[in-house]
């Protein structure tokens, strides 16, 4: 496990580990000093934490119902690490893998990973490259992948943001440009897409804590843990998050078809940087990805990558401080 550190010309600083291609720290200079924007823990705790803290989720982010793949009469059983389903690629997914450091400069790092045929049950050898890059106040995350057999691919960064540098993230205000979201069963498997309503209508800025628990889907999940369907080709930012104190704003751009909004509903007991533990709702994830459970459900999209095709994912987070 090796560490890397990047810094942009504007002073945005990113730290990470090759284990899980994990982002461990992101600090933004403000008038009173640097503010930490990511949740993290001590280096020795990353191999044992169970919440994908800052790591890459893959080979397929989010849930695959029944922990199996079905395609053209074939069936592949997957690792049922959230029984009876497969979550974020399995217990030995990309978050537990040692990535190869291919290239590093002051403002960028390139990592690579080979996921072999049968890894966590997934078919095909998958070659992945990942570039983290800083440009001004932007963090760019760029995934590329290819395969020698049909396989579903959905890669994302499972970074937990807290733009206040601490405290309950529900004090943040969020805008999410999505007209539909995926309600779920009690165990997190998506139902059919529904029009946003109530606390799920985030098209106008909303404090996350506002009317908390007023929607049955939110009560069921103990918060937000839902995919929001994005409009293809949207050029503007798709999400804007503002810190509770109003000092930091994060804008998110992505070319992916959905964003999973997760408010850290099950963070309690996760190690933190000080040797203590995080509490529930200490961070919020905005994970750009394919729609959950889509490998077996064509109505949710087609995430299958075929030989000769190229998987491409581009997400940019922009941070503005006052």
């Amino acid at each position: 496990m090796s560490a890397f550190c990047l810094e942009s010309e504007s002073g945005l600083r990113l730290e990470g580990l090759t284990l899980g291609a994990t982002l461990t720290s992101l600090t933004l200079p403000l008038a009173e000093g640097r503010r930490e924007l990511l949740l993290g823990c001590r280096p020795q705790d990353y191999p044992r934490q169970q919440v994908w803290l800052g790591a890459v989720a893959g080979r397929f982010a989010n849930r695959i119902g029944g922990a199996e793949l079905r395609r053209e009469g074939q069936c592949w059983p997957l690792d049922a690490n959230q029984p009876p389903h497969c979550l974020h690629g399995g217990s030995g997914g990309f978050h537990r893998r040692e990535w190869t450091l291919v290239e590093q400069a002051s403002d960028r790092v390139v990592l690579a990973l080979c996921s072999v045929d049968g890894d966590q049950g997934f078919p095909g050898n998958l070659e992945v490259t990942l570039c983290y890059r800083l440009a001004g106040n932007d963090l760019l995350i760029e995934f590329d992948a290819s395969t020698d057999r049909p396989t579903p691919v959905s890669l994302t960064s499972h970074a937990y943001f807290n733009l206040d540098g601490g405290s309950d993230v529900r004090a943040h205000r969020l805008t999410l440009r999505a007209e539909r979201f995926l309600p779920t069963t009690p165990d997190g498997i998506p139902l059919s897409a529904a029009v946003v309503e109530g606390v799920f209508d985030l098209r106008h800025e909303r404090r996350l804590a506002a009317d908390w628990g007023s929607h049955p889907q939110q009560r069921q999940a103990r918060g937000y843990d839902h995919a929001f369907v994005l409009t293809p080709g949207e050029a503007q930012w798709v999400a804007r998050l503002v810190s509770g104190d109003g000092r930091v704003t994060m804008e998110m751009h992505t070319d992916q078809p959905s964003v999973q909004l997760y408010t850290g509903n099950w963070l309690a007991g996760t190690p933190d940087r000080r040797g203590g533990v995080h509490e529930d709702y200490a961070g919020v994830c905005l994970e750009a990805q394919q729609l959950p459970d889509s490998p077996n459900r064509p109505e949710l999209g087609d995430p299958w990558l075929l030989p000769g095709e190229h998987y491409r994912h581009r997400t940019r987070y922009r941070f503005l401080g006052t």
Side-chain angles (χ1 to χ4, degrees):
M1 180 171 69
S2 300
F4 56 85
C5 181
L6 313 177
E7 187 164 348
S8 74
E9 65 276 14
S10 65
L12 186 66
R13 183 181 300 158
L14 178 71
E15 298 177 25
L17 296 171
T18 51
L19 176 67
T22 299
L23 302 181
T24 61
S25 174
L26 181 68
T27 57
L28 179 71
L30 300 179
E32 73 275 13
R34 288 193 167 274
R35 178 176 292 189
E36 178 62 68
L37 306 181
L38 287 182
L39 298 192
C41 62
R42 300 177 302 178
Q44 64 266 33
D45 291 328
Y46 278 101
R48 69 181 182 91
Q49 57 84 26
Q50 300 293 321
V51 298
W52 285 265
L53 197 64
V56 167
R59 174 180 310 194
F60 195 87
N62 218 310
R63 294 166 180 85
I64 297 177
E68 69 173 17
L69 297 173
R70 301 181 302 275
R71 180 181 173 87
E72 297 179 349
Q74 292 185 276
C75 181
W76 297 268
L78 306 176
D79 178 44
N81 60 320
Q82 192 179 72
H85 312 303
C86 179
L87 174 64
H88 293 325
S91 56
F94 290 4
H95 66 299
R96 294 296 188 208
R97 302 289 299 279
E98 179 67 20
W99 291 61
T100 300
L101 184 59
V102 175
E103 177 186 342
Q104 184 172 3
S106 61
D107 60 352
R108 68 192 300 266
V109 64
V110 178
L111 303 164
L113 181 67
C114 176
S115 175
V116 300
D117 183 32
D119 186 4
Q120 310 301 295
F122 287 89
N125 296 294
L126 187 73
E127 299 285 346
V128 182
T129 59
L130 163 60
C131 179
Y132 292 127
R133 182 162 57 93
L134 299 181
N137 284 349
D138 292 1
L139 165 61
L140 296 97
I141 301 176
E142 302 173 342
F143 291 102
D144 294 272
S146 60
T147 183
D148 59 2
R149 292 180 64 189
T151 190
V153 180
S154 179
L155 307 176
T156 195
S157 170
H158 207 295
Y160 289 82
F161 296 99
N162 189 316
L163 305 185
D164 283 316
S167 73
D168 193 317
V169 78
R170 290 175 293 181
H172 287 47
R173 301 188 303 277
L174 177 64
T175 310
L176 212 168
R177 286 175 166 154
E179 297 183 355
R180 296 183 299 152
F181 80 111
L182 296 184
T184 71
T185 62
D187 51 356
I189 299 302
L191 303 168
S192 298
V195 175
V196 294
E197 62 175 2
V199 296
F200 288 91
D201 187 352
L202 297 163
R203 292 172 294 179
H204 302 285
E205 186 178 82
R206 184 184 190 92
R207 191 165 63 93
L208 290 173
D211 300 319
W212 187 264
S214 62
H215 195 290
Q217 278 287 311
Q218 195 178 57
R219 293 195 297 273
Q220 172 182 281
R222 296 180 54 186
Y224 292 101
D225 191 8
H226 297 81
F228 287 75
V229 183
L230 303 178
T231 301
E234 178 65 69
Q236 298 176 305
W237 53 264
V238 299
R240 174 186 282 161
L241 185 67
V242 181
S243 61
D245 66 2
R247 299 290 306 280
V248 178
T249 297
M250 180 181 83
E251 295 177 353
M252 178 186 186
H253 302 246
T254 188
D255 58 5
Q256 297 302 287
S258 77
V259 169
Q260 183 81 9
L261 169 61
Y262 175 53
T263 44
N265 315 337
W266 303 93
L267 272 171
T270 300
D272 67 16
R273 290 190 178 90
R274 301 176 301 279
V277 294
H278 292 294
E279 300 294 334
D280 287 341
Y281 314 117
V284 59
C285 301
L286 290 165
E287 308 161 54
Q289 57 189 246
Q290 298 289 322
L291 272 68
D293 205 31
S294 56
N296 299 322
R297 296 171 59 184
E299 75 275 14
L300 297 178
D302 181 5
W304 286 81
L305 182 67
L306 306 181
E309 293 182 344
H310 179 71
Y311 172 86
R312 183 180 185 273
H313 170 154
R314 301 291 185 267
T315 292
R316 181 170 81 249
Y317 298 99
R318 173 167 293 170
F319 301 91
L320 306 171
T322 61

